[in-house]
Amino acid sequence: MFRKTAPSPQNIVSRRTDTRKYDANMVWNNDPIAIANLHLQPSDLSPRLRKDLIGIFLQNREKCYFDLHVGRFIASLSLPPADPQAPHPTLVDAILLVGCYFSRDPSLAGYESGLLVAANSHLSTSFHHTDRLHDFIRASNLIAFYYFCKGMYPEAYQQIITSCNMVVTCGLHQIPSSAWTPMGEEDSDKFLPYPEDAVEQGERIHTFWQTFCLEKMILMVISRPAYLLGGPDSDPLLQISTPWPHVISDYEIGAVSDLDKRSVTHLFLNQMSTLPGRLETLDSLRSQGYALVYKAVHLSSERPAPQQILMTDSAIQTFTSRLPYLKNSGACGEIPATPGLSPTNYRIVTIHTLAHVASLILHQHGADVSARRRCTTAAQGVAAVIGNLTDADYPELFIGLGHLWYLAGQILLTIAANADGPVAEQNRNWALMIISALKRISMVYPPLGFQLRQLQKLL
């Protein structure tokens, strides 16, 4: 049932020299502290600093679409590294790496190169010994995210495809249900041991959807075809049937149902009505948003039948109608408080933006007046969502939002350039709002300065 293929070891090894040069000269702009610390190694990290970096990562894990049972993970760190119940060293190294990145501390930048090398080395060890492959996938995803945040898009692509290959090899794309059941005979012959309980199953569901979302974001930037596509017309071997994710606590307390088997196919067949007593989680809505965006990307690259456009458009409209408001209304139980004084929930900002971008991409090549109007409305919708953000929100946003804003900004400036009068002025003003937002988010994620400059050239 599952494809028992695995990524080539050659795809796991990173470009060490290039990464060191990038960290010193591009990220920290020749900062003397960062350059002095360039050759720091993971072994130089004190126990206190390791603990602090893990804490920083856990506080920011939402930004890389990562989730796990925090209590279990912290407890497992006290086990010997070779213990099967301990996190594989590659996952620990990757968490420390991303923790360094999220710290925004130039004095820690020197550790990043050494941690990246160590994470990749341990990743290769995990692969060769078929050791804790769930941790292999999670570590590979975090490394891909790190590359993406650094603007190293070819490396991010190579790494996320490694993750996707292992996801399919381990069958994480076809987890049959949200609810855990005891192992049956048919579940014994797998690359991954059967999950020990509902929490472990929930973590695997989250890992799959993290892989799915990161892949879609990276591929949108570098214009490559998707490995994990899903949908009604997919290859049966690659068909995605893993249910949309709940929050981890739902798995722990048993607040999941064996009836909840909805996945990508149900999204496009408009079979996404909420089960009684169950609200959509924000992780679930975000995953659905990425599925819709990439479906639109896929259709825009070919000559789809009209019914495919109609089916996808209907799915986007149904999805949009189910979204919670941008404010912290508490409609979804897992919504955290937004930092600062902003009443807007930054996680819902991403989801609304994905809905608008899906519509924008689906209709951008339409020849009729209706399609052009829908595309314009969607691009303006992206800018309108930005209008709900405050300065306190930008450090909490996912880097991929900047790339989504860039797509909308291009459309708006193109419309403004081909119009005159109030239409041109209105769309130019919407585009200026996006440019202003890109200026703010590029201060958090410097590689987005490229997208900012490209839009400024179109003014």
Side-chain angles (χ1 to χ4, degrees):
M1 181 178 180
F2 304 110
R3 286 179 46 172
K4 296 191 175 181
T5 58
S8 166
Q10 287 79 8
N11 290 338
I12 297 173
V13 181
S14 66
R15 297 183 175 91
R16 300 182 185 184
T17 304
D18 291 347
T19 302
R20 289 175 183 269
K21 180 179 178 182
Y22 184 91
D23 284 341
N25 297 332
M26 296 181 68
V27 178
W28 297 114
N29 298 316
N30 292 312
D31 185 288
I33 298 176
I35 293 175
N37 292 338
L38 181 61
H39 300 293
L40 291 171
Q41 296 301 313
S43 58
D44 298 324
L45 287 168
S46 67
R48 176 60 184 271
L49 185 52
R50 288 171 65 90
K51 181 179 179 181
D52 289 345
L53 289 175
I54 290 171
I56 291 171
F57 170 81
L58 292 174
Q59 291 170 4
N60 290 276
R61 65 188 186 278
E62 162 63 25
K63 297 175 190 173
C64 45
Y65 300 165
F66 185 99
D67 208 0
L68 79 177
H69 191 287
V70 174
R72 285 192 181 186
F73 174 72
I74 296 297
S76 70
L77 290 171
S78 63
L79 298 171
D83 190 308
Q85 300 301 316
H88 195 281
T90 188
L91 178 58
V92 177
D93 290 335
I95 284 174
L96 293 170
L97 170 68
V98 179
C100 278
Y101 174 76
F102 280 135
S103 74
R104 313 293 182 190
D105 185 345
S107 68
L108 297 178
Y111 289 107
E112 292 183 16
S113 293
L115 286 167
L116 181 59
V117 170
N120 275 297
S121 176
H122 285 132
L123 200 67
S124 183
T125 301
S126 170
F127 170 81
H128 284 296
H129 293 90
T130 322
D131 182 15
R132 288 167 277 183
L133 294 181
H134 183 205
D135 287 351
F136 174 101
I137 298 167
R138 293 196 282 192
S140 180
N141 286 348
L142 292 178
I143 294 168
F145 172 79
Y146 175 81
Y147 284 142
F148 188 71
C149 290
K150 294 290 191 179
M152 302 169 68
Y153 302 127
E155 291 85 350
Y157 168 74
Q158 182 184 48
Q159 197 68 56
I160 200 63
I161 292 303
T162 295
S163 298
C164 292
N165 199 333
M166 189 61 81
V167 156
V168 173
T169 296
C170 294
L172 294 192
H173 65 311
Q174 294 180 344
I175 297 174
S177 170
S178 296
W180 176 83
T181 56
M183 183 177 70
E185 292 184 6
E186 71 278 5
D187 299 311
S188 59
D189 185 23
K190 303 285 175 62
F191 278 90
L192 281 181
Y194 194 77
E196 292 188 358
D197 58 19
V199 170
E200 189 171 331
Q201 175 144 318
E203 289 184 338
R204 293 184 185 187
I205 290 172
H206 270 269
T207 295
F208 170 75
W209 288 112
Q210 180 204 25
T211 309
F212 180 91
C213 293
L214 289 179
E215 184 213 23
K216 299 302 170 286
M217 191 69 255
I218 292 169
L219 296 182
M220 285 180 64
V221 173
I222 64 172
S223 300
R224 297 288 182 90
Y227 190 97
L228 301 172
L229 188 56
D233 303 319
S234 296
D235 180 338
L237 289 175
L238 297 176
Q239 182 65 260
I240 295 169
S241 56
T242 297
W244 305 113
H246 292 247
V247 290
I248 293 295
S249 60
D250 282 354
Y251 300 102
E252 183 175 27
I253 65 176
V256 293
S257 170
D258 190 48
L259 299 175
D260 189 1
K261 303 176 186 292
R262 300 167 306 161
S263 191
V264 175
T265 299
H266 302 86
L267 180 65
F268 292 102
L269 297 178
N270 285 329
Q271 298 175 351
M272 288 298 299
S273 58
T274 302
L275 292 175
R278 181 196 186 283
L279 292 169
E280 291 285 0
T281 68
L282 297 184
D283 290 334
S284 170
L285 291 172
R286 181 184 61 212
S287 301
Q288 293 168 36
Y290 275 108
L292 290 168
V293 166
Y294 204 81
K295 181 65 173 179
V297 171
H298 180 67
L299 291 177
S300 70
S301 64
E302 54 184 35
R303 294 182 177 179
Q307 58 266 32
Q308 289 183 297
I309 296 290
L310 289 173
M311 179 183 70
T312 305
D313 187 41
S314 176
I316 293 170
Q317 292 187 58
T318 301
F319 173 73
T320 303
S321 70
R322 295 188 293 108
L323 295 183
Y325 294 118
L326 289 166
K327 307 300 181 183
N328 281 315
S329 63
C332 294
E334 77 282 5
I335 294 179
T338 301
L341 301 177
S342 172
T344 301
N345 188 286
Y346 59 86
R347 298 177 69 194
I348 305 177
V349 165
T350 299
I351 297 165
H352 276 263
T353 302
L354 287 168
H356 288 303
V357 169
S359 184
L360 180 158
I361 294 172
L362 184 66
H363 297 291
Q364 66 178 334
H365 299 306
D368 60 277
V369 174
S370 175
R372 291 196 295 271
R373 185 183 300 115
R374 294 283 300 280
C375 180
T376 302
T377 301
Q380 293 172 349
V382 171
V385 171
I386 289 172
N388 289 276
L389 294 172
T390 69
D391 288 343
D393 294 315
Y394 284 87
E396 306 302 323
L397 299 177
F398 173 56
I399 183 174
L401 264 179
H403 295 282
L404 299 176
W405 293 346
Y406 172 66
L407 294 176
Q410 281 185 308
I411 294 292
L412 292 168
L413 288 174
T414 300
I415 295 169
N418 291 281
D420 49 32
V423 173
E425 182 179 0
Q426 180 189 46
N427 285 287
R428 180 182 172 86
N429 288 338
W430 284 120
L432 288 172
M433 184 179 292
I434 290 176
I435 288 172
S436 177
L438 276 171
K439 286 180 181 178
R440 288 181 173 88
I441 199 171
S442 66
M443 295 176 68
V444 182
Y445 300 107
L448 288 173
F450 173 80
Q451 280 73 22
L452 171 62
R453 292 188 293 273
Q454 291 299 106
L455 284 187
Q456 289 173 327
K457 289 179 183 179
L458 297 176
L459 286 173

